[in-house]
């Protein structure tokens, strides 16, 4: 809900207040194709950030920060790492971690009038069983130690954090195998490019960097 933005922008970034109100103070029009009510259907939208707006991420972080601060104060044993619209809750007391997430979800709904999709999150522990985590209140539809790999397949026994596989040895090996498979497929597609210069640019600026990123993250 954009109502949560105005005062925070006024207090933290007063030089942007007029611009933000100009851009977000009016409803935008979204065109829906094949909605069953005509083609296209115009829908007025007055929530969230505008598509493609470079300020969108900043505004989201601005309204999310007070919520994260409140959760951190309520559960000091839990470490919270947040980047843009991703938030991670870590700790050695699993009950506190679960309850911190549940509080975050509640405040997110209450203050921002949004809804978190538990099925798009993931829970993982090296020392706590799934049963214990569920008993502590972990949402039933939140996946446990499950991750989608780079080749589109799914593996059990870990999760992926910023491109780094974290979990059992079998999970890490599955992640690396999928990464190699995807890289090989990409190189085969690269061969269809006619320009050798374009091939070199893609190889150096894309493929090599992806492989190097994995090499840095996996022992």
């Amino acid at each position: 809900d954009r109502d949560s933005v105005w005062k925070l922008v006024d207090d933290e970034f007063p030089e942007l207040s007029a611009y933000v109100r100009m851009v977000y103070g009016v409803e935008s029009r979204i065109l829906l194709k094949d909605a069953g009510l005509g083609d296209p259907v115009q829908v007025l939208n007055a929530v969230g950030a505008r598509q493609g707006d470079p300020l969108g991420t900043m505004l989201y972080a601005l309204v999310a920060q007070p919520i994260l601060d409140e959760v951190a104060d309520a559960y000091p044993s839990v470490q919270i790492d947040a980047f843009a619209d991703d938030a991670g809750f870590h700790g050695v007391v699993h009950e506190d971690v679960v309850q911190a997430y549940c509080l975050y979800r509640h405040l997110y709904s209450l203050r921002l009038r949004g809804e978190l999709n538990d099925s798009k999150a993931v829970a993982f522990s090296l020392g706590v069983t799934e049963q214990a985590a569920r008993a502590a209140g972990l949402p039933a539809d939140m996946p446990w130690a499950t991750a989608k790999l780079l080749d589109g397949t799914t593996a059990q026994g870990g999760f992926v954090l910023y491109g780094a596989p974290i979990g059992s040895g079998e999970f890490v090996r599955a992640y690396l195998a999928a990464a190699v498979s995807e890289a090989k497929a990409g190189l085969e597609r690269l061969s269809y490019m006619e320009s050798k210069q374009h091939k070199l640019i893609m190889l150096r600026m894309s493929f090599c960097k992806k492989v190097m990123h994995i090499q840095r993250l996996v022992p």
Side-chain angles (χ1 to χ4, degrees):
D1 192 312
R2 292 175 182 170
D3 290 342
S4 57
V5 172
W6 311 130
K7 187 176 186 307
L8 286 169
V9 172
D10 291 342
D11 293 342
E12 303 294 336
F13 302 98
E15 66 276 13
L16 294 177
S17 290
Y19 174 78
V20 171
R21 279 178 166 78
M22 179 185 71
V23 174
Y24 289 99
V26 295
E27 297 171 325
S28 58
R29 294 180 181 272
I30 298 177
L31 300 180
L32 298 180
K33 182 181 178 181
D34 298 329
L37 300 173
D39 188 12
V41 174
Q42 295 190 41
V43 178
L44 296 179
N45 178 43
V47 298
R50 289 184 181 273
Q51 186 72 25
D53 182 12
L55 284 180
T57 300
M58 185 274 285
L59 293 175
Y60 179 89
L62 188 64
V63 298
Q65 188 63 46
I67 296 176
L68 294 169
D69 289 340
E70 186 169 340
V71 175
D73 291 340
Y75 295 94
S77 67
V78 177
Q79 177 181 330
I80 303 175
D81 298 319
F83 177 78
D85 59 347
D86 289 332
F89 300 82
H90 320 283
V92 296
V93 182
H94 69 278
E95 293 90 350
D96 287 354
V97 176
V98 171
Q99 292 307 310
Y101 170 76
C102 291
L103 176 59
Y104 173 70
R105 182 179 58 175
H106 169 70
L107 295 176
Y108 185 94
S109 174
L110 181 67
R111 307 273 177 78
L112 305 185
R113 299 182 179 91
E115 183 178 357
L116 296 178
N117 189 346
D118 294 332
S119 65
K120 290 187 175 181
V122 63
F124 176 77
S125 175
L126 292 171
V128 177
T129 65
E130 179 180 358
Q131 291 74 15
R134 301 290 183 196
L138 187 71
D141 55 347
M142 182 179 292
W144 178 266
T146 304
K148 187 175 182 179
L149 304 182
L150 296 176
D151 62 354
T153 60
T154 300
Q156 304 286 331
F159 69 107
V160 180
L161 180 63
Y162 304 130
I166 300 174
S168 65
E170 182 179 354
F171 173 81
V172 173
R173 286 190 291 271
Y175 178 87
L176 293 177
V180 171
S181 176
E182 177 63 18
K184 289 174 62 178
L187 288 174
E188 291 175 358
R189 290 190 292 267
L190 191 64
S191 66
Y192 288 95
M193 299 183 68
E194 296 182 359
S195 171
K196 293 182 179 179
Q197 184 66 25
H198 292 166
K199 291 180 182 179
L200 178 62
I201 292 173
M202 288 294 295
L203 187 64
R204 294 181 58 186
M205 304 305 294
S206 179
F207 288 96
C208 289
K209 291 184 180 297
K210 290 180 180 179
V211 174
M212 290 174 60
H213 181 67
I214 295 175
Q215 290 176 325
R216 291 192 185 104
L217 296 175
V218 179

